[in-house]
Amino acid sequence: MTEFTFLHAADLHLDSPLLGLAGKSAEYAARVEAASREAFDNLVALAIEEGCRFMLLAGDIFDGDLRNFQTGLYFMEGMRRLDDAGISVFMVLGNHDSANRFADKLALSGNVYVFPKARAATHVLDDVRVAIHGRSFPRPDVSEDLAHEYPAATRALFNIGVLHTACAGSEGHHARYAPCTPEQLTNHGYDYWALGHVHAHAVLGEHPYIVYPGNLQGRHPRETGPKGAVLVKVNDGRVTSLEHRALDVVRWASITVDVSGTSEYPELLDFIRGHIAQGAEQADGRPIALRLTVTGTTPLHSRLILERASFREDVETLLATLSDDVWLEKLKLETEHPAVPDTVDPTVAGKLDQEVTRLSQDSAIAQVLEARLAEIRTKLPAGAHADAFIEQMRAEIPERAAALARSLVSEAGYAPD
């Protein structure tokens, strides 16, 4: 009877630059960037603690053109620690690694096997009766099906395919590199497919197992929830346990709060606080980067729009009462004003709304607005962050005008004749 454990990880993106995030918070960008190394350390520690026979890395260890050779040295040191523990490492180069001019020059320890770029190859571990098959990306933009040319399964061995791919149904926001299908992988005859490229953990099949571990550390607001690697136990040629282990250091969260029915401002803040508290509990004590979206129909809509900056400050204050380490990455307001009540003259309200709409579409007004925005733009520092600020102002001005009009109508309490 042969029993062993291995660890499957992918998309480490060590020291990936976070330029957009740096524009919002240089401090938090630095923390997330450092978190990729800490998550990598957690990966190495987990492999050693669990007594893994080997580790699989399914591509994108680095992030494009390695700007700092210290990143490569850091990775090499982690591989050396695994070597000292008797753990082998089998890795393929993904689309980001192939764009890296240092990846091929790293003097990796003897326990690391990098699959070739020219064709798929097989490495056999006789002691645990395992055949591991893989191929590295020959270039960043691989559009052909690499899995089609993987070797046939080796008889009487536990066969593993290591593949960086956009497998059908799981591409998401990721480029469609080295495409394949779950049916194709199932019919190839392997016992486990260790996939990489898609940053969300997913099990596409169980007979055999076709698995994305997801990336080690979330890098932006779309990469929410636990991030880590998959720990796999095999007994007598059969997978007996597959467990996703969270290894991330900073957790991204996206929370939507429907405030419909709230009419008092303190009540609205308490309602939001309760929802955020639930999300914070799921982070298991990790620092949180939060994207908060507030939706719903509320009479407070106009106030939230007109006092957006003050509202954000109040949200940040309540976050401080929940945790010492929650950063509000973005606050999105998508609330609506309730229908005009019978006590308000609909003709007055309607005319105000119509006038706001007309003015927002008036070409002469638009020219004045653009001239004013251009003047403001000259006073801002160059960069994408300033451009985004101007775009936000351009989009919000009609909305703020409409909110102010509705607020005036409601406060005046116009009654029908």
Side-chain angles (χ1 to χ4, degrees):
M1 181 179 294
T2 303
E3 188 174 3
F4 61 92
T5 301
F6 68 89
L7 194 57
H8 168 202
D11 302 285
L12 280 58
H13 291 278
L14 290 173
D15 291 350
S16 62
L18 303 166
L19 302 179
L21 183 57
K24 296 181 178 180
S25 171
E27 177 187 357
Y28 217 87
R31 294 184 64 181
V32 175
E33 191 165 342
S36 69
R37 288 197 181 193
E38 295 180 47
F40 172 66
D41 288 338
N42 292 341
L43 177 72
V44 172
L46 177 62
I48 295 172
E49 291 169 3
E50 293 291 339
C52 292
R53 173 60 181 87
F54 56 89
M55 178 188 293
L56 306 175
L57 297 178
D60 284 0
I61 286 79
F62 304 109
D63 193 89
D65 189 9
L66 182 61
R67 295 165 177 81
N68 182 0
F69 194 66
Q70 293 299 318
T71 305
L73 296 179
Y74 198 87
F75 177 73
M76 290 164 57
E77 172 60 21
M79 298 299 99
R80 186 196 61 76
R81 296 201 305 272
L82 292 175
D83 192 17
D84 290 344
I87 300 172
S88 301
V89 180
F90 300 91
M91 58 183 278
V92 298
L93 303 178
N95 53 293
H96 282 276
D97 301 317
S98 292
N100 191 307
R101 58 194 174 96
F102 288 125
D104 290 333
K105 300 178 181 179
L106 296 177
L108 298 169
S109 47
N111 63 320
V112 181
Y113 180 84
V114 181
F115 285 97
K117 297 179 178 180
R119 63 183 61 85
T122 301
H123 193 95
V124 175
L125 295 174
D126 292 318
D127 60 321
V128 287
R129 302 186 62 75
V130 170
I132 305 174
H133 316 274
R135 180 185 175 184
S136 293
F137 269 37
R139 59 187 185 282
D141 56 344
V142 174
S143 59
E144 63 266 27
D145 178 1
L146 297 184
H148 180 71
E149 298 181 358
Y150 269 45
T154 304
R155 291 176 58 85
L157 297 182
F158 186 85
N159 287 264
I160 299 175
V162 186
L163 177 65
H164 198 76
T165 177
C167 192
S170 298
E171 302 94 331
H173 296 284
H174 303 278
R176 200 166 180 268
Y177 294 142
C180 64
T181 67
E183 293 78 12
Q184 171 192 354
L185 299 184
T186 297
N187 294 330
H188 206 83
Y190 291 177
D191 301 287
Y192 186 95
W193 281 97
L195 306 184
H197 184 53
V198 173
H199 289 187
H201 169 52
V203 179
L204 305 185
E206 296 184 1
H207 304 288
Y209 276 98
I210 304 172
V211 180
Y212 279 110
N215 54 341
L216 277 188
Q217 170 61 55
R219 298 155 61 237
H220 52 70
R222 292 197 306 271
E223 297 182 346
T224 59
K227 298 293 180 178
V230 172
L231 188 70
V232 184
K233 297 183 183 297
V234 178
N235 190 346
D236 199 23
R238 184 174 62 88
V239 174
T240 57
S241 173
L242 186 145
E243 181 183 1
H244 185 265
R245 292 287 188 91
L247 302 172
D248 52 341
V249 178
V250 175
R251 185 70 53 82
W252 292 88
S254 181
I255 297 176
T256 298
V257 183
D258 187 340
V259 296
S260 295
T262 57
S263 57
E264 300 295 331
Y265 191 65
E267 175 192 10
L268 180 139
L269 291 177
D270 286 343
F271 193 68
I272 291 174
R273 186 183 187 280
H275 280 74
I276 296 176
Q278 295 178 11
E281 290 178 359
Q282 298 175 6
D284 300 323
R286 292 171 175 80
I288 303 171
L290 173 65
R291 174 166 289 191
L292 176 65
T293 302
V294 181
T295 66
T297 300
T298 172
L300 296 169
H301 168 73
S302 297
R303 174 177 178 178
L304 298 180
I305 295 296
L306 295 172
E307 302 176 10
R308 184 185 294 262
S310 177
F311 177 47
R312 181 184 176 101
E313 292 175 356
D314 289 340
V315 171
E316 290 176 333
T317 299
L318 70 85
L319 290 179
T321 68
L322 290 171
S323 169
D324 294 331
D325 219 344
V326 180
W327 173 59
L328 185 60
E329 181 267 339
K330 189 171 186 178
L331 174 61
K332 299 176 66 177
L333 277 176
E334 298 179 357
T335 55
E336 295 181 355
H337 200 279
V340 178
D342 294 338
T343 57
V344 176
D345 184 350
T347 302
V348 175
K351 286 185 176 180
L352 279 172
D353 265 346
Q354 289 174 13
E355 186 65 10
V356 169
T357 301
R358 185 189 67 78
L359 291 174
S360 68
Q361 297 172 351
D362 186 284
S363 59
I365 299 257
Q367 290 178 7
V368 174
L369 173 61
E370 289 302 320
R372 180 57 179 157
L373 290 176
E375 180 183 345
I376 294 173
R377 183 65 182 83
T378 62
K379 300 177 182 179
L380 298 174
H385 185 55
D387 293 339
F389 175 73
I390 293 297
E391 284 301 318
Q392 183 175 348
M393 289 187 66
R394 182 180 288 114
E396 287 182 0
I397 286 174
E399 181 183 14
R400 286 174 178 260
L404 178 59
R406 296 190 191 98
S407 178
L408 291 173
V409 171
S410 296
E411 290 176 5
Y414 288 113
D417 294 333

